[in-house]
Amino acid sequence: KRSRCSAGHKAMWHESWGGLPSEDFLITLSPLLKNFRERLYTKTYTSDTKVGFLNNEWAEKLGLTTRVAVGIGAIDCHMGAVGAEIKAGTFVIGTSTCDIMAVHYQEIGNNLIAGICGQVDGSVIPGMVGLEAGQSAFGDYYAWYKNLLTWSADRILSKSDLLDSNTKEALKNEINKNILFELTKEAEKITESSVLATDWINGRRTPDADQNMKASITNLTLSSTAPFIYKAIVEATAYGSRAIIERFVEYGVKINEVIGIGGISLKSPFVMQTLADVLGMPIKVAKSEQTCALGAAMYATVIAGIYPTIQDAQKVMGQGFIKTYYPNEEKKEMYNRLYEEYKATLQHIVACD
């Protein structure tokens, strides 16, 4: 039995066309796909569906019994949204980054949201339509900048005759461990920077995917220090999230709350506060460090018959939220203006292409 979540978001499965895309469509991609569709599946199942039980071989390998029920799986970020207690109207930001929503049928109707990663019945919560969006890089953008700054130091240390190998390694680890912390301390002191970055460092995922897009850092001067550039990069990822939210709202999707999950949401108050300021919305941070595993465990209880629905499992097993970041009203006008500059930069890059 095939996963509705995986088939819908990754293989373009949809019930209205009898499963996977038509053969006419597939062979326009490649003639090698001729007769491929007829050998595949037509039905898919939501994650509250029981497949069966562990067989003897796997029960023995795992130290379990053949009474353990097995359910339909789903993609990690979708399970993460469930673990973060998603409900209708919740926008979940995963710092990988994958953004997930679930909306009622009557709200979405036949409305197809342009430029997102998928719109799949039951992919997150059975009985609702799951929506997926996201950016090509979020935390990886910060990691790229950190590696950029440490490259010279790593090279010089590795070739130095002044230090023994253990000291070299210890210094490298200390620099890598503390550099984002030091950048953050200084970036937090900056009220407004003229430096503007865009978030398409690894192409643009949503809205309107274009993997040929390249990022930019503009308005640099000789006074543009490393913290100024880091602040601009953090703001760029927040602008990207705002563009995604605005696309949902443009198509009539109501967003009642925003939840952050993943490592950055728990480790970087600076990033989360910037995100709240740019979005102009409060952001709740899920307490669980492993929301994907927690969401899978919630579905496992439904499969095992402990709870009747995933919503019931969420009520009992949800771990709540560790903090809420509220937007700074004093920064609202500034970020509205900078966001317009961000959009103008996008239009300029597209026009140049």
Side-chain angles (χ1 to χ4, degrees):
K1 291 184 177 180
R2 295 286 180 154
S3 163
R4 173 75 54 82
C5 180
S6 298
H9 287 285
K10 304 303 179 185
M12 297 178 67
W13 179 95
H14 197 276
E15 189 176 22
S16 68
W17 53 62
L20 298 172
S22 68
E23 181 164 295
D24 288 342
F25 172 81
L26 294 174
I27 61 177
T28 62
L29 302 179
S30 171
L32 295 175
L33 294 178
K34 184 175 177 61
N35 300 324
F36 187 61
R37 184 181 190 272
E38 65 186 33
R39 299 198 298 273
L40 298 176
Y41 52 93
T42 56
K43 292 184 178 181
T44 63
Y45 301 86
T46 54
S47 294
D48 58 346
T49 305
K50 182 165 69 178
V51 177
F53 297 88
L54 284 181
N55 61 23
N56 288 323
E57 179 186 359
W58 279 101
E60 186 177 340
K61 284 182 178 181
L62 297 172
L64 299 171
T65 75
T66 55
R67 297 192 304 275
V68 174
V70 178
I72 293 290
I75 302 167
D76 55 354
C77 56
H78 299 70
M79 284 290 187
V82 172
E85 302 173 55
I86 191 174
K87 55 184 180 290
T90 302
F91 185 87
V92 179
I93 299 178
T95 52
S96 297
T97 173
C98 193
D99 302 326
I100 300 294
M101 287 198 73
V103 297
H104 291 297
Y105 298 136
Q106 59 267 33
E107 180 181 354
I108 196 74
N110 293 320
N111 198 9
L112 182 64
I113 302 173
I116 66 172
C117 297
Q119 184 170 320
V120 181
D121 179 20
S123 64
V124 182
I125 301 288
M128 297 187 199
V129 178
L131 308 175
E132 178 188 347
Q135 292 161 271
S136 293
F138 199 103
D140 285 345
Y141 203 170
Y142 313 149
W144 165 81
Y145 187 55
K146 180 192 76 171
N147 293 336
L148 190 71
L149 294 181
T150 58
W151 183 87
S152 296
D154 286 346
R155 295 275 291 188
I156 293 168
L157 279 172
S158 64
K159 294 178 179 181
S160 175
D161 296 327
L162 300 174
L163 305 169
D164 60 72
S165 58
N166 289 336
T167 305
K168 289 178 186 179
E169 196 61 32
L171 275 173
K172 285 183 181 180
N173 290 337
E174 185 174 8
I175 291 170
N176 277 284
K177 179 181 178 181
N178 294 324
I179 190 166
L180 288 182
F181 174 72
E182 293 297 327
L183 286 168
T184 294
K185 279 201 307 182
E186 294 304 311
E188 286 177 323
K189 299 174 184 178
I190 302 169
T191 53
E192 181 178 352
S193 169
S194 62
V195 180
L196 179 72
T198 56
D199 58 312
W200 316 302
I201 191 71
N202 201 36
R204 185 177 61 195
R205 185 178 175 199
T206 55
D208 306 320
D210 184 350
Q211 298 312 125
N212 293 317
M213 290 286 286
K214 303 294 186 294
S216 63
I217 301 174
T218 59
N219 298 338
L220 294 170
T221 69
L222 290 177
S223 63
S224 300
T225 62
F228 276 82
I229 297 173
Y230 178 62
K231 179 179 174 66
I233 289 172
V234 171
E235 290 170 341
T237 53
Y239 299 148
S241 290
R242 178 167 169 174
I244 292 168
I245 283 179
E246 287 187 350
R247 177 59 58 89
F248 281 128
V249 172
E250 178 187 348
Y251 280 79
V253 176
K254 186 177 180 181
I255 297 175
N256 299 322
E257 62 175 356
V258 179
I259 294 174
I261 64 175
I264 289 177
S265 66
L266 292 165
K267 295 176 183 176
S268 181
F270 173 61
V271 171
M272 298 311 295
Q273 185 61 57
T274 301
L275 189 56
D277 291 343
V278 170
L279 297 182
M281 303 172 71
I283 302 175
K284 298 193 298 185
V285 176
K287 185 177 181 180
S288 172
E289 294 184 21
Q290 301 292 341
T291 52
C292 298
L294 180 58
M298 289 174 176
Y299 265 115
T301 64
V302 177
I303 297 301
I306 296 171
Y307 300 113
T309 68
I310 191 62
Q311 289 92 339
D312 293 306
Q314 284 178 310
K315 289 176 185 176
V316 178
M317 299 173 67
Q319 295 185 11
F321 306 93
I322 196 167
K323 184 171 183 177
T324 300
Y325 291 89
Y326 294 94
N328 186 332
E329 286 297 319
E330 294 178 1
K331 295 183 178 180
K332 185 175 181 180
E333 183 180 343
M334 177 188 75
Y335 276 126
N336 284 340
R337 173 168 44 81
L338 292 175
Y339 179 64
E340 291 303 317
E341 290 185 26
Y342 163 87
K343 290 196 295 183
T345 303
L346 167 62
Q347 292 171 354
H348 176 72
I349 291 174
V350 171
C352 289
D353 288 344

